[in-house]
Amino acid sequence: MPTEIMPLPGRVESLAGSGLATIPKEYVRPESERDNLGDAFDEALKLNSSGPQVPVVDLSGFDSPDEAVRAKCVEELKKAAEDWGVMHIVNHRIPLELIDRVREVGKGFFDLPVEQKEKYANDQASGEIQGYGSKLANNESGQLEWEDYYFHLIFPEEKTDLSRWPKEPEDYTEVTKEFAKELRVVVTKMLSMLSQGLGLESGKLEKELGGMDDLLMQMKINYYPKCPQPELALGVEAHTDVSSLTFLLTNMVPGLQLYYGGKWVIAQCVPDSLLVHIGDTLEILSNGRYRSILHRSLVNKERVRISWAVFCEPPKETIVLKPLPELVTEVAPAKFPPRTFKQHIQQKLFKKTEEDFTSLK
């Protein structure tokens, strides 16, 4: 009996390019998710200078020979991690020309015809998550997200599978490898500063996360096509990141929205910066002192948005995540039961609302 061949899931890019005036019902978010949901450009315009702004941290202070300047930089990062759980970092020392090349090769891949990109399609059903894909319904409501993406491991280099990387554009691999190496230096610096912010030795957090050998960096390039009804759709639904840190680079089109102070606030685009999220893993290790913030991605009618998210993750099963003993006291008892990273991912799989996340934590 012949095996039934299932058609590939449709790509959002193809849907968006078909000229439709209304989006299919599978992409329409329920009423409960439409608070401050709208065109990303309109939402960015609403956020004036008096509204809450994602903090900007200048990392150059941490390289100063002046101990007081270094301490001030650590304090600024600590405050942003505790209050927002997200910050723009500037003077991160990744060459801006390299960042421009990362943008170019990522856009170059998504500029290829869909049929060409399908050669790199992932296969979620078989567990092959690396490659080109679109969100398949795996939540309780069955809603789909207005994005396509490319996902693959970029560091440590010896653990990468280059057969799952795009071969087009030709310099994609070279550029991405170089970016991964440069970003890994920033990861160590950020973890060192965040360790010091908790009163710990500078290498403590990185060691707890697996160190240079086992801390993984997974890149997801998110491609958000133009959407005819951005007030009804989401590029990525509300979630917190399971990672330790997430680094975000964009093509300077707004869309990231953060749940801060009881309302949704859009993040402004800051030139020459990387945006960094504190993930669940650091919230657990810090016993809740650092915050993993709920966020989502808006879409818009006018411009394609592309973002490059790099998730810094501990090994899935060899490390037990729990609040660090140095941060647990009678006054501040442990807020999180021990779990492996794999167990944490499984626990969160269907947790999508503010209430669900509150109950998890």
Side-chain angles (χ1 to χ4, degrees), residues 262-280:
K263 62 182 179 181
W264 288 104
V265 176
I266 197 162
Q268 301 284 44
C269 296
V270 176
D272 302 335
S273 75
L274 295 173
L275 188 136
V276 186
H277 284 280
I278 300 292
D280 296 347

Side-chain angles (χ1 to χ4, degrees), residues 2 39-40 50 56 88 92 117 121 123 129 152 154 170 176 191 212 282 294 314 322-323 342 346 358:
D39 188 291
S50 63
V56 178
H88 297 283
H92 41 69
K117 293 193 285 278
D123 184 2
I129 60 174
H152 61 100
I154 62 171
E170 287 185 2
T176 303
L191 290 174
M212 188 62 74
L282 278 192
L294 190 68
K322 60 183 179 181
K342 181 178 180 180
Q346 291 172 338
T358 301

Side-chain angles (χ1 to χ4, degrees), residues 333-344:
K335 294 182 178 180
F336 308 96
R339 81 286 299 270
T340 63
F341 186 58
K342 181 178 180 180
Q343 288 171 333
H344 183 66

Side-chain angles (χ1 to χ4, degrees), residues 191 205-211 214-215 244 281-282 285 314-315 319:
L191 290 174
L205 287 176
E206 180 155 359
K207 180 181 178 183
E208 292 291 331
L209 294 167
D214 290 328
L215 180 64
S244 56
T281 301
L282 278 192
L285 292 178
I319 290 177

Side-chain angles (χ1 to χ4, degrees), residues 101-117:
R101 292 182 70 199
V102 171
R103 289 187 175 114
E104 287 170 9
V105 296
K107 181 179 182 297
F109 173 78
F110 278 98
D111 282 347
L112 297 171
V114 170
E115 296 75 20
Q116 213 163 330
K117 293 193 285 278

